[in-house]
Amino acid sequence: MNPKSWLGCLHWLPGYDKATLASDAVAALVVTIMLIPQSLAYALLAGLPPQVGLYASMAPLLAYAVFGSSRTMAVGPVAVASLMSAAAAGQFAQGDVALFYQASVAMALLGGVVLFTLGAFKAGFVANLLSHPVVGGFVTASALLIAVGQFGALIGVSAKGETFVHTVMALIKHFPLFNAWTAAIGLSSLLWLWLVRKRGKQVLAGLGLSGLPLELLLRGAPVLALVVSIVVVSVWAPEGVRTVGVIPTDLPGLMLPALSQDQWLSLVVPGSLIALVGFVETVSVGHALAARRKQRIDPNQELLGLGAANVASGLFGGYSVTGGFSRSVVNFDAGAQTPMAGVFTAGGILLATLFLTPWLANLPQATLAATIVIAVVALIDTDLPRMLWRYSRKDFAAYAVTVALVLVAGVEAGIMAGVGFSVLALLVSIGKPHWAVVGQVPGTEHYRNVKRHAVTTVDGVLSVRIDESLYFPNAQWLEDLLLRLAADLGTTRALILQCSAINHIDASALESLEKVDENLQAMGVRFYLSEVKGPVTDKLKNTHWYSSIQARIALTHTDAMSMAVCEMKE
């Protein structure tokens, strides 16, 4: 067994040098500054104590560095996984705080085991099971859910609901009870972070800053918001402002949730779903960043890396993690060369946990809510629905169904509905594929759709092209189509099926083709096949029908036409 197929670090560690170390250290500094407030905020979003976000930002980075394949991926808590974890753990725990935490940890462990197992079996193709419209719809709806859910914390009211509509109604109901101090802190933090995101780089560049100083100031904007809000609360002690409270500085030891076998089993599905969604996001981000440096990632290796990261997170008291888009882009832009940047980042988070957390007791939750809102709003792709509407109404429908169901019925229901709709649309497309009657383009051996091109046809010969492989969903449709076309044209004496777009013929479709051949013979029509691909021919050779159709299979459509015309003259 090749160790490199298991340990991604063996691809970069042997050539590690001082220059690479320096680049990784600088990137780690930038990401650490960004990650501290994000980790605290996402833990609260997941319904967990803030220190759990710090736990989930240490051990997973070390595990990913050993097994992962991306040079610039930054693994840790993210908004969407936090939302999914909170929803699943809340449904499981039914108000039991201790059980809620145990469930969150258990789902990280279970999801990690599932991903690592899939990686061991080279099942990286699972990233293709969630289509882009479904993932885009899920991320958009989740971002809306998170943003609306955090608005209550921004203004100091309790506004929690099981769905988007319930949350909005709760916000409207409790809005008159907002806390002025909390609203001032939260909304001013939100405005500051928004201005930095929109204009910060331009302003700092205008002041002559560039490179590392510019990046540090940009990524330090949330830290400044934290510091200012902590000072405000510490000096004025405004009434009614909810703070993070005392954050333990103790580091977690190895742990395993004390759950029964039935409880573990009930968490397998939500834990696996969180992990798979996270894997899809990780692979998407990894491919995009790797392409910018003419590198590549291995989806199978990413399964191992992300699986190990989640197992490590669960074992050390964290919750579900994945490759975050924003922090990975920051890691890339800051010059990270290898996953060692993640190891350095884990060290920075460790130091922050030990020495900085005592200063965060007066940190307003409203400031963290502002951090979350700014982060998730950036995930909404406003161009995607317009593009899908123009390009494919079926894909748009999958997107819309996913968005609607996530907002109305919840995260899991939305994903399942989106995937189900996509699969159904695919089956419908396969069940009734595009087809065309074709004719010869004058002066060439090319055959094109008679409705789209000026082509010539031969009296008595009908040429049909099917633009899909032949499976059981379209087998009966194919049989009905060919026999109907032959019957409608009473002068037809030969029917040629152009197979250039047919990559596979299953047993059901084979039976239908045999029936077509038999019925056409009864009608006095000869049946021919043209341009049959090698793998399809190989399968046909293993059937009893091949002995009778073999002489009527032509290499090109032109040959099939000549064959048909000659036999009609006999």
Side-chain angles (χ1 to χ4, degrees):
M1 181 183 299
N2 184 3
K4 286 188 176 182
S5 65
W6 288 89
L7 303 177
C9 62
L10 295 181
H11 290 274
W12 55 267
L13 194 56
Y16 202 74
D17 54 26
K18 291 182 180 179
T20 307
L21 185 149
S23 297
D24 287 343
V26 170
L29 177 61
V30 176
V31 174
T32 300
I33 292 173
M34 174 186 180
L35 197 54
I36 292 172
Q38 274 197 358
S39 298
L40 298 171
Y42 290 153
L44 294 177
L45 176 60
L48 299 166
Q51 66 270 19
V52 178
L54 297 174
Y55 300 160
S57 300
M58 290 185 279
L61 293 171
L62 304 179
Y64 182 85
V66 174
F67 291 96
S69 68
S70 173
R71 301 293 181 95
T72 54
M73 184 65 62
V75 173
V78 299
V80 173
S82 298
L83 173 67
M84 295 179 69
S85 179
Q91 186 176 7
F92 175 85
Q94 296 295 312
D96 188 323
V97 177
L99 194 57
F100 185 100
Y101 176 56
Q102 297 273 349
S104 301
V105 173
M107 286 189 292
L109 285 167
L110 291 168
V113 170
V114 168
L115 292 181
F116 200 88
T117 302
L118 290 173
F121 286 97
K122 307 296 182 184
F125 63 86
V126 298
N128 302 324
L129 298 181
L130 290 176
S131 67
H132 179 58
V134 171
V135 173
F138 163 71
V139 171
T140 296
S142 297
L144 291 173
L145 269 177
I146 293 168
V148 169
Q150 291 301 304
F151 192 78
L154 277 175
I155 61 175
V157 300
S158 177
K160 293 183 178 180
E162 295 181 0
T163 66
F164 181 81
V165 175
H166 291 156
T167 304
V168 171
M169 295 302 294
L171 270 175
I172 295 173
K173 179 180 179 181
H174 295 106
F175 183 79
L177 304 177
F178 76 92
N179 180 275
W181 272 100
T182 301
I185 293 171
L187 296 177
S188 60
S189 297
L190 186 68
L191 178 61
W192 162 249
L193 294 173
W194 181 79
L195 287 173
V196 169
R197 182 179 288 270
K198 288 292 184 181
R199 304 295 182 188
K201 193 168 187 177
Q202 179 181 347
V203 171
L204 291 175
L207 295 175
L209 293 175
S210 62
L212 180 60
L214 185 146
E215 286 296 328
L216 286 175
L217 286 174
L218 280 178
R219 305 311 166 190
V223 176
L224 181 59
L226 265 61
V227 171
V228 172
S229 60
I230 289 173
V231 170
V232 169
V233 172
S234 301
V235 173
W236 283 282
E239 183 179 353
V241 176
R242 298 175 183 174
T243 61
V244 170
V246 178
I247 299 176
T249 57
D250 297 335
L251 295 177
L254 283 171
M255 65 170 291
L256 195 66
L259 301 174
S260 68
Q261 181 178 346
D262 290 341
Q263 288 175 319
W264 277 101
L265 290 175
S266 67
L267 292 171
V268 170
V269 172
S272 300
L273 191 58
I274 295 170
L276 289 173
V277 170
F279 170 64
V280 172
E281 179 181 356
T282 300
V283 170
S284 299
V285 174
H287 277 307
L289 295 181
R292 289 168 64 178
R293 289 185 181 172
K294 297 183 179 180
Q295 298 171 347
R296 61 178 297 274
I297 67 167
D298 181 356
N300 295 317
Q301 197 73 50
E302 287 303 291
L303 282 170
L304 296 175
L306 197 58
N310 276 279
V311 169
S313 183
L315 289 176
F316 286 94
Y319 69 107
S320 299
V321 297
T322 188
F325 175 77
S326 58
R327 72 172 62 100
S328 295
V329 171
V330 170
N331 196 39
F332 179 93
D333 291 339
Q337 299 298 314
T338 72
M340 187 61 76
V343 176
F344 294 148
T345 299
I349 299 295
L350 173 62
L351 293 175
T353 303
L354 293 175
F355 301 110
L356 295 183
T357 50
W359 299 88
L360 300 177
N362 287 332
L363 173 61
Q365 293 185 14
T367 305
L368 293 179
T371 302
I372 294 173
V373 171
I374 289 297
V376 299
V377 167
L379 298 176
I380 300 176
D381 186 350
T382 55
D383 294 328
L384 180 60
R386 290 196 295 269
M387 184 277 289
L388 292 175
W389 178 260
R390 293 193 301 267
Y391 183 75
S392 171
R393 299 298 169 86
K394 290 180 181 178
D395 285 340
F396 176 83
Y399 172 90
V401 166
T402 304
V403 171
L405 265 294
V406 169
L407 294 178
V408 173
V411 173
E412 291 186 21
I415 293 179
M416 295 298 186
V419 172
F421 184 90
S422 297
V423 172
L424 181 61
L426 178 62
L427 290 176
V428 169
S429 177
I430 293 174
K432 194 174 181 181
H434 178 267
W435 63 276
V437 174
V438 297
Q440 186 175 18
V441 178
T444 74
E445 291 190 357
H446 298 295
Y447 287 79
R448 295 292 185 266
N449 191 338
V450 296
K451 294 182 179 180
R452 292 178 177 269
H453 301 273
V455 295
T456 60
T457 58
V458 176
D459 291 340
V461 180
L462 178 63
S463 297
V464 180
R465 187 188 72 229
I466 305 296
D467 297 328
E468 181 62 78
S469 293
L470 304 181
Y471 300 100
F472 65 91
N474 58 32
Q476 187 60 51
W477 169 88
L478 172 70
E479 183 178 340
D480 295 340
L481 171 71
L482 296 181
L483 294 178
R484 175 174 59 81
L485 290 174
D488 288 346
L489 299 175
T491 59
T492 300
R493 296 176 56 192
L495 192 155
I496 307 172
L497 179 61
Q498 187 179 19
C499 303
S500 55
I502 297 175
N503 298 315
H504 179 74
I505 299 176
D506 72 1
S508 299
L510 173 66
E511 183 180 4
S512 290
L513 288 174
E514 291 186 58
K515 289 181 180 178
V516 167
D517 191 13
E518 293 175 3
N519 290 327
L520 287 177
Q521 287 185 35
M523 297 166 59
V525 178
R526 291 280 281 174
F527 186 42
Y528 301 86
L529 302 179
S530 73
E531 302 182 8
V532 182
K533 295 185 175 180
V536 177
T537 301
D538 292 341
K539 294 183 71 70
L540 290 178
K541 287 179 180 178
N542 297 322
T543 68
H544 65 275
W545 183 52
Y546 185 73
S547 60
S548 62
I549 192 67
Q550 180 179 7
R552 291 174 282 143
I553 298 178
L555 181 62
T556 68
H557 201 78
T558 300
D559 292 342
M561 290 291 297
S562 299
M563 192 184 302
V565 171
C566 288
E567 292 192 11
M568 283 194 305
K569 292 179 179 178
E570 293 178 357

